[in-house]
Structures are given as structure tokens and as C-alpha cells.
Amino acid sequence: SVSFARTHFTRTTPRTGTMLRSTATTLWRRMAPAAQQAMPAMASVSFARSFSATSPSGVEEGADTAAEAAKHAPPLRLFGLPARYASALYTASSKAGNLAQVQEEFRTVLDAAKMDAKFRDFLFDPTGSTTKKIAGLSEFCDASNFTETTKSFLTVVAENGRLAQSEKIYECLEELTMATNNVVKALVTSAEPLSPEELVKMQTYVKDFVAEGATIVLECKVDKKLLAGFTVGIGQSQYMDLSLLARIRQVQRELEKPL
């Protein structure tokens, strides 16, 4: 199926590379004022304090120098609201030196929501009380001994009514942390399960679209609606549809055009 799709559909591949996100430093300057105003009194620390640079002794430092900002800036430019939150969290965690721990803690919250329907509804129900959500998240973070970075970030997300975006925020954060280690995740959706030989070919195919030397991690799914061929999503920046379904739809659009 891989060779079939490569042979017949390569010319129809839509390649999108537009990246609309500003740098993490600009994002921070944009988000901080509103977040400081929105932060509830019950939060143990303010958004600004938790997401500011601190010295090894814990004393807040002044404005970042250009070199310092570049040191903690996300390695990729992503776009969209979830990416903005993820980029802010990446920068804050990088400055605090706890990026891996924060990512793990964030994943723990999402996994808990998946396993517990009541907790999931409590977090993601848009009609629920924001105050109760903040209090519940704070209690959860304290009981789990989470970092202040994670606790403050989740509190701000809850206050801004963006908890429903948590999974997408995490996916963006994961993409950023993987890029730090020159790792790229590609989501491959095929009409039929790929054989070991096809997986090897897919690795080779994806290499053409990522930076040289990058480690590729394939995540595979099956969607029989594609009929044949496959789609490949590389992060948020690239998407290739090499499926028979896409080809059929293209032909249908051509046939529907007026003579």
C-alpha cells in the first residue's frame, strides 16, 4: 500500500509549512498581564511569579537578555491557541529546570481524567464552576506533590476556561520537548495495518520531510475509510494525504466543475 500510494498519489500531496506562532518571549509578554488580572486569590502563587525567570537561589531576576530568552525559547514555531499555552509552559519549565517533570505531571492529570469519568466531567464540563475547578486542581496537585510550575499553569488554564484544550496543549508541549532532542513524531493513518516492510519504507518516506539526522517515531492508526494508501501528519506543520479517498474526492471536485 505504501508503494502504491507513493506511485499514484505523490503529485497530489498537499504540503503545508506555514507556521504562525510568535516567539515564546513575545507570547509571555502578551499573556502575562491578562493572566495576572485573572488569577484568583486562592492560587498559592501568581502567574507572573510562577512563569518568571528565577535564579538558582530562587530570587526572581530582571528582564531576560536576548541570549537568555533564546536559551529557553521553544525549538519550534507552532500555531494556534494550544500552542501558545504549550510554548509558555515550555519556556517556564525550561527556566525552572523541570521540563521533564512538568510534562510528566501534566500527562498524569490527563490520564487521571481518562480513567475517571467524574474527574473528566469535573474538569472539562464548560458549565462547571471555575472556582471549584481551580480548587480541585490545586488540591490534586498538592496531593500529588506537583511542582509549582505545573500547579500554577493548570490554575491559569482553568481560570481562562481552556481546560477543554488540555490534550491539545499537551500534544504541542510533547512536540516541543521531542524537538529539543531532535525527535519527530509522525502520525501515519492507513487503510490497512502496515507490514514491517512497509513501516521501514514509511520511515524512509518521512525522512524526506524532517531535518537531517532527526529520529522519527511513527504512531500508526488504521482507518478503512481511506480505502487505500495513507495519510501522514508530522507535528503541526505538515500533512500529506496520499489516500485513495483523497484522490476520489479530487476527481469528484473536477467533475463537478462547470464545463
Side-chain angles (χ1 to χ4, degrees):
S1 60
V2 174
S3 59
F4 176 82
R6 181 196 287 268
T7 301
H8 291 79
F9 303 136
T10 301
R11 292 183 181 179
T12 65
T13 302
R15 299 183 61 183
T16 56
T18 306
M19 294 176 281
L20 306 176
R21 194 208 58 164
S22 63
T23 63
T25 302
T26 303
L27 170 63
W28 161 238
R29 290 173 180 169
R30 216 188 301 161
M31 290 179 62
Q36 285 176 313
Q37 294 176 6
M39 196 66 180
M42 70 177 64
S44 60
V45 291
S46 70
F47 181 86
R49 178 174 179 80
S50 297
F51 285 74
S52 63
T54 56
S55 66
S57 62
V59 179
E60 293 183 17
E61 298 175 345
D64 288 338
T65 63
E68 184 70 9
K71 178 181 178 182
H72 300 291
L76 296 176
R77 292 185 176 183
L78 306 180
F79 61 90
L81 184 63
R84 292 182 182 181
Y85 279 89
S87 297
L89 181 57
Y90 178 96
T91 299
S93 303
S94 176
K95 290 177 180 178
N98 57 8
L99 179 57
Q101 184 177 357
V102 167
Q103 182 179 356
E104 182 179 352
E105 291 170 351
F106 196 176
R107 184 70 259 170
T108 297
V109 174
L110 296 178
D111 288 343
K114 286 183 177 180
M115 293 185 293
D116 190 323
K118 289 185 178 180
F119 186 51
R120 180 173 62 251
D121 293 341
F122 172 76
L123 291 181
F124 303 144
D125 181 2
T127 64
S129 167
T130 298
T131 301
K132 290 182 179 180
K133 289 182 180 182
I134 293 172
L137 277 171
S138 296
E139 182 178 352
F140 184 94
C141 291
D142 289 340
S144 303
N145 294 318
F146 283 177
T147 62
E148 287 294 342
T149 307
T150 301
K151 179 180 177 180
S152 295
F153 178 78
L154 291 174
T155 300
V156 170
V157 174
E159 176 65 24
N160 292 343
R162 303 297 183 182
L163 284 175
Q165 299 286 319
S166 294
E167 190 67 48
K168 292 182 179 179
I169 294 173
Y170 179 84
E171 290 174 0
C172 290
L173 178 64
E174 182 182 50
E175 185 175 353
L176 294 175
T177 56
M178 292 178 72
T180 301
N181 299 312
N182 201 22
V183 177
V184 177
K185 182 168 72 172
L187 175 60
V188 179
T189 305
S190 56
E192 298 291 341
L194 299 180
S195 67
E197 294 77 12
E198 288 173 327
L199 286 173
V200 173
K201 292 181 180 180
M202 184 62 69
Q203 286 272 359
T204 302
Y205 176 76
V206 173
K207 281 184 179 179
D208 293 338
F209 300 92
V210 301
E212 185 176 356
T215 300
I216 300 170
V217 176
L218 294 181
E219 180 179 338
C220 298
K221 293 184 178 180
V222 174
D223 184 354
K224 294 185 179 298
K225 290 184 293 184
L226 297 180
L227 302 179
F230 56 87
T231 66
V232 181
I234 303 175
Q236 290 194 346
S237 59
Q238 297 186 82
Y239 180 78
M240 290 79 73
D241 192 340
L242 309 181
S243 68
L244 179 57
L245 178 61
R247 182 59 174 168
I248 291 173
R249 287 174 175 172
Q250 183 183 35
V251 172
Q252 287 176 334
R253 286 193 295 269
E254 291 296 326
L255 293 174
E256 291 171 356
K257 289 182 180 180
L259 298 176

